[in-house]
Amino acid sequence: MTQRIYIIGAGAIAGHHAEAIARLSTTGEERPELSITDAHPAALAAFAERFPWVKTYPDTASMLNEPAQADDVVIVATPPVAHAELSCLAFRSGRHVLCEKPLAMNKAEADRMLGAAREAGKLLGCCSSRFAGLRTTAAVKTLLAEGKLGRPYRVNWIQRRQRARTGIEYQPSSRWFLQPAISGGGTLMDWGPYDIAGLTEALDPVRVDVLDAWMADPLTGHPLQAEVPSEVEQHVGATLRFHLTDGGAVPVHYERAACCHGGERSLTEIEGTAGAVGWDWLCWDGQGDIVRHDDTLGEPVTDVIRVTDDSPGLMDKPIVYFLDAVAGRTSPAIVGDRAAFNFGILCAIYDCIRTGEPQTVAREGAY
Ligand SMILES: NC(=O)c1ccc[n+]([C@@H]2O[C@H](COP(=O)([O-])OP(=O)(O)OC[C@H]3O[C@@H](n4cnc5c(N)ncnc54)[C@H](O)[C@@H]3O)[C@@H](O)[C@H]2O)c1
């Protein structure tokens, strides 16, 4: 039977999904049948002009009305405010759901989505898998598993950009990114899902404590920032403690900025008693470095290994990995408990900032 995929929301990311789905057929597979709907007729019409091979529907209910096939997939590609409601609707129609990041607006919504998935006996996946399954990250996991770094005692995950605000410098047409009632938050909701996915993939924690956290919205002279009062954080940081499967715990310094006045920086590094490793956790252009530091006869030694990444492109990963998971194949897809756990860590950072109190998120069940 032909694979069927349905997209709700015909905006910027839907175009990337459609291109990724079209590319599936270049690997010898039959191209899935793709349907799409959008709340705004103009957005739907523009999409139809760009992708004439895609079936369009005036609303979600009519699109999901046809009887479901066992492996049907719905991609929820709207702003976050609609993720929970539309995902639950899609589960009730008997379909698997791949939801855009961030998974939801808050923890209660994410729990509701997971509950609806379980009730329907379907998979809930999150598109925070865009940088999952990279060879660089796999190499780091192997170093940790083989004890090559000794006991890990410090992790730095620092990603700072000076002017890269979504809704201002990037995709200024989608101002909703700056409105928390629609986006759920700022750069922590926008980029945090990828950061947390990278950190949890590398370290595989069973529990995460948020010990301290802060956020800010730096002022700039950009005319768009003056025009619409900015309501979301563009710079966020947290002191986390990751509890590992071997019973150990490691402190994680986390920082993400889409806007800051200090310098730009990217540091993705684990330090252990026997060595340290830094790695390219994005591999934008299909290549990335693994930087190892250790000690040979009392001298610090640094080795840089460049690897070619053969995983699907970053916009292809979410659907490729999710279709693997739906078919029961092993895949780096971020689904079910894992998606809820990762999202729970983001929510705990916000809760720590809001309450001033430490928070704990435990991974439930096995994934
Ligand atoms: N733009 C990117 O580069 C990018 C990258 C990765 C992930 N995402 C994520 O994808 C999601 C959508 O972002 P975008 O950039 O495509 O936004 P967008 O503003 O380009 O498009 C969103 C579309 O959703 C439609 N929509 C809103 N509510 C709807 C509803 N209830 N039912 C049907 N359609 C509805 C809007 O009319 C609009 O066409 C967000 O969660 C975002 O974080 C975006």
Side-chain angles (χ1 to χ4, degrees):
M1 239 181 295
T2 306
Q3 174 72 53
R4 299 192 309 197
I5 301 175
Y6 304 79
I7 302 181
I8 309 175
I13 202 62
H16 289 291
H17 282 299
E19 286 170 358
I21 289 161
R23 276 191 289 272
L24 289 173
S25 54
T26 61
T27 58
E29 292 172 41
E30 185 188 9
R31 183 169 75 194
E33 191 180 294
L34 180 58
S35 303
I36 193 159
T37 185
D38 194 287
H40 290 97
L44 194 59
F47 192 94
E49 197 174 334
R50 192 170 154 209
F51 300 101
W53 53 276
V54 179
K55 275 206 259 180
T56 58
Y57 289 84
D59 54 65
T60 304
S62 61
M63 183 172 77
L64 300 183
N65 199 26
E66 63 182 339
Q69 287 175 187
D71 59 356
D72 280 357
V73 168
V74 178
I75 301 176
V76 176
T78 64
V81 67
H83 286 182
E85 191 191 324
L86 293 171
S87 296
C88 291
L89 191 72
F91 284 129
R92 284 199 296 277
S93 81
R95 295 174 165 92
H96 301 283
V97 173
L98 174 61
C99 184
E100 262 307 335
K101 44 60 49 176
L103 190 61
M105 297 287 279
N106 51 51
K107 183 78 174 54
E109 283 192 357
D111 289 346
R112 192 149 57 85
M113 292 160 78
L114 200 56
R118 288 191 178 129
E119 206 167 303
K122 295 288 166 185
L123 278 184
L124 168 64
C126 183
C127 293
S128 53
S129 58
R130 259 182 197 103
F131 306 101
L134 297 172
R135 282 189 57 197
T136 46
T137 312
V140 170
K141 287 173 76 74
T142 303
L143 287 173
L144 285 168
E146 292 176 349
K148 296 273 172 48
L149 304 179
R151 178 180 62 80
Y153 63 84
R154 170 77 170 164
V155 177
N156 275 304
W157 188 283
I158 301 171
Q159 318 297 339
R160 297 162 55 99
R161 302 283 310 279
Q162 285 186 315
R163 299 291 185 276
R165 293 166 289 191
T166 309
I168 298 183
E169 286 86 10
Y170 173 70
Q171 207 171 311
S173 56
S174 295
R175 303 305 308 281
W176 62 260
F177 279 98
L178 305 170
Q179 296 167 269
I182 301 176
S183 62
T187 197
L188 185 59
M189 280 297 199
D190 194 23
W191 272 91
Y194 301 130
D195 297 328
I196 298 299
L199 274 164
T200 56
E201 183 178 349
L203 294 162
D204 196 23
V206 291
R207 202 173 90 222
V208 171
D209 303 324
V210 182
L211 303 175
D212 187 28
W214 51 266
M215 63 185 188
D217 182 19
L219 301 174
T220 68
H222 196 294
L224 280 181
Q225 193 182 21
E227 189 187 294
V228 174
S230 191
E231 296 175 67
V232 295
E233 82 285 353
Q234 298 295 352
H235 194 176
V236 61
T239 303
L240 310 173
R241 189 193 291 127
F242 275 37
H243 296 268
L244 309 179
T245 47
D246 65 3
V250 62
V252 176
H253 173 69
Y254 170 61
E255 190 181 342
R256 160 67 62 183
C259 179
C260 59
H261 294 299
E264 297 211 337
R265 215 163 298 150
S266 176
L267 178 62
T268 313
E269 191 174 71
I270 300 174
E271 290 184 283
T273 50
V277 63
W279 73 105
D280 185 339
W281 68 283
L282 294 165
C283 295
W284 277 113
D285 57 0
Q287 289 205 316
D289 289 345
I290 301 153
V291 183
R292 278 193 66 180
H293 307 278
D294 51 27
D295 180 284
T296 307
L297 301 174
E299 293 298 325
V301 175
T302 297
D303 271 329
V304 181
I305 305 164
R306 170 142 298 197
V307 297
T308 299
D309 192 74
D310 49 8
S311 62
L314 75 105
M315 288 301 180
D316 298 31
K317 283 185 177 65
I319 188 63
V320 171
Y321 290 165
F322 192 66
L323 289 177
D324 280 342
V326 166
R329 293 187 288 269
T330 307
S331 122
I334 296 175
V335 299
D337 281 349
R338 186 189 192 110
F341 177 56
N342 286 357
F343 183 68
I345 298 169
L346 292 184
C347 296
I349 293 174
Y350 281 119
D351 286 347
C352 180
I353 294 168
R354 193 172 43 78
T355 63
E357 297 293 328
Q359 308 287 319
T360 290
V361 190
R363 184 170 106 182
E364 286 167 33
Y367 37 76

